Amino acid sequence: MSAVPDAPIVLIEPVEGAGDRLGAAWDDLAAAAAEPNAFAERWFVMAGVRHLCPPAFRRLIEVWEGDRLTGLLPVVIDPRYGRLPLRHVVNWLHHHSFLGTPLVRAGRERAFWAAVLAVLDDARWAGGLLHINGLVEDGPVHRGLATAAATLGRRCDTVHRVVRAQLDAGLDPEAYLETHVRKKKRKELKRLAARLAEQGTLTTRRLADAGEVSDWCDDFLALEASGWKGRAGSALGSTPETAGFFCEMLAGAWSAGRLEMLRMDLDGRPIAMLVNFLTAPGSFSFKIAFDEDHARFSPGVLIQIENLRLLDRADIAWMDSCAAENHPMIDSLWGGRRTIVRVTVPLGGLRGRVTFALARGLEDGWAWARRRLGR
């Protein structure tokens, strides 16, 4: 007979200091999660807490079953729901978090969300809604939330949806390229690679030494800042806070065995760099930078062709591009698609029902008006 899990215990504590306090329990949860999410792992979250966001009402909801951590959900209070002044709970993300799926132990998805909803129902500070950004549509965590809400007689409405590129395993790199990229484009990419190689000594390599992490971090920041993001002030190196976050996060990802970095050098200087997180059975393409002085050779595309070597790994089944919807470059190379949704669930009591009805009624009205104006 399998052991019956202990009744869930829910703790709500400040996110600050949670990395040291939870330590190995957080890492164990990440390894056993129903859905991998690099952006919810300890090294990523805590680097963001330390560098990117000023202290605020930011809490970590922890669900425990005995001495085993079942799930973690960082939350904040948002005073506005879109255009409406409706106070509600939302999962905490920052500008560089590209997926909001919380870490939940496989098989405990419904139990986790049931415990979260129960504690938020009783929390006066929570307002009337739970709003979760960045869930994989119909993934086990999304389904667990929908099931927990339905058990309580509540809706779990999808209020926003985007579709982005995904790299799916099943073919070797050469076969994948032939299957998903037109022959004419493949020929053009080979020509560009040959032309680029004529400009000097061209090398492509992967980060393999802990002693190089800091130097590769600095090289990436400099390369990104040399382009349009630097001119716009949106590069990671544009502020001490984002630069500090990036370098601390990379060091943490390397220590956790999650970091992969690729670079393409011309005469010893980087002209394209790529940062990935490997979270078997999945992975995430986090950031890319390239030298705009060599843009005519498409170094950003060429390093993505090299990135297809990921398909040779038996432990990785997919890579999330983390790119914008309809991204012209990555959508033309990767044939898979991943749907990411934002959902809203009412909390308990009259306040929750009224707040949810008001929010969803106005959202539906705005959607109707946009359709009418579009026609």
Side-chain angles (χ1 to χ4, degrees):
M1 285 175 52
S2 60
V4 177
D6 293 334
I9 297 174
V10 182
L11 304 177
I12 302 178
E13 302 189 284
V15 177
E16 287 75 9
D20 293 333
R21 178 170 49 81
L22 295 175
W26 193 335
D27 298 340
D28 174 72
L29 174 63
E35 296 180 54
N37 182 7
F39 307 105
E41 294 203 17
R42 182 164 64 116
W43 45 270
F44 190 92
V45 172
M46 297 315 300
V49 167
R50 280 188 281 268
H51 293 279
L52 296 183
C53 305
F57 186 87
R58 185 172 49 212
R59 295 292 184 267
L60 187 64
I61 300 179
E62 308 166 19
V63 178
W64 295 81
E65 293 175 327
D67 60 357
R68 192 170 70 166
L69 187 59
T70 297
L72 290 174
L73 178 66
V75 299
V76 293
I77 300 300
D78 193 330
R80 300 191 66 84
Y81 182 87
R83 300 179 180 135
L84 301 175
L86 294 177
R87 181 182 175 89
H88 64 286
V89 180
V90 61
N91 56 325
W92 174 67
L93 302 173
H94 55 73
H95 182 66
H96 302 287
S97 301
F98 298 126
L99 189 66
T101 304
L103 296 178
V104 182
R105 195 170 293 273
R108 306 304 297 156
E109 299 88 354
R110 188 202 62 78
F112 166 78
W113 285 115
V116 169
L117 290 172
V119 77
L120 291 179
D121 284 349
D122 293 335
R124 295 181 60 84
W125 50 264
L129 300 174
L130 172 63
H131 195 58
I132 302 293
N133 288 298
L135 288 178
V136 178
E137 186 172 43
D138 202 35
V141 176
H142 181 203
R143 292 195 303 270
L145 176 56
T147 302
T151 301
L152 296 170
R154 304 180 195 176
R155 288 160 56 181
C156 177
D157 285 12
T158 296
V159 298
H160 187 255
R161 177 182 284 108
V162 297
V163 180
R164 64 197 191 199
Q166 177 168 293
L167 178 66
D168 294 315
L171 298 172
D172 63 49
E174 290 73 21
Y176 191 94
L177 200 60
E178 289 183 6
T179 301
H180 295 287
V181 179
R182 301 186 317 273
K183 182 177 180 180
K184 182 178 180 181
K185 183 168 185 176
R186 297 200 307 270
K187 184 177 180 181
E188 174 64 9
L189 290 173
K190 287 182 180 179
R191 187 188 70 82
L192 291 173
R195 289 283 309 280
L196 181 58
E198 294 171 357
Q199 309 305 306
T201 301
L202 185 66
T203 57
T204 303
R205 55 195 175 107
R206 284 172 165 75
L207 181 64
D209 186 341
E212 291 188 307
V213 173
S214 179
D215 289 341
W216 282 49
C217 176
D218 292 342
D219 289 344
F220 186 96
L221 292 175
L223 183 60
E224 187 186 51
S226 70
W228 69 268
K229 287 187 177 181
R231 295 189 294 274
S234 61
L236 286 160
S238 296
T239 69
E241 292 79 14
T242 51
F245 157 75
F246 185 67
C247 290
E248 179 180 326
M249 180 273 298
L250 288 188
W254 176 269
S255 295
R258 301 304 205 195
L259 181 64
E260 179 182 67
M261 291 186 74
L262 289 73
R263 64 187 291 160
M264 183 178 292
D265 289 356
L266 186 64
D267 291 335
R269 297 181 59 184
I271 59 170
M273 297 186 73
L274 184 64
V275 180
N276 295 329
F277 302 136
L278 305 182
T279 54
S283 57
F284 301 87
S285 187
F286 178 57
K287 295 285 183 179
I288 188 171
F290 65 90
D291 184 350
E292 293 179 4
D293 289 340
H294 293 84
R296 64 189 183 278
F297 303 111
S298 298
V301 178
L302 295 179
I303 201 169
Q304 285 289 4
I305 300 300
E306 178 63 26
N307 193 35
L308 292 178
R309 294 294 165 195
L310 183 80
L311 296 170
D312 288 329
R313 293 185 58 128
D315 61 329
I316 300 296
W318 50 264
M319 174 171 275
D320 185 340
S321 68
C322 300
E325 189 172 39
N326 298 318
H327 191 283
M329 185 268 280
I330 203 66
D331 279 19
S332 69
L333 297 177
W334 292 6
R337 296 294 180 264
R338 182 176 233 205
T339 303
I340 308 297
V341 296
R342 185 187 311 157
V343 302
T344 298
V345 178
L347 296 179
L350 178 62
R351 179 176 60 173
R353 292 194 297 272
V354 171
T355 303
F356 182 82
L358 177 61
R360 294 298 294 126
L362 288 174
E363 281 180 326
D364 290 343
W366 288 329
W368 178 86
R370 283 195 299 270
R371 290 194 298 269
R372 295 282 296 183
L373 290 172
R375 285 198 292 268

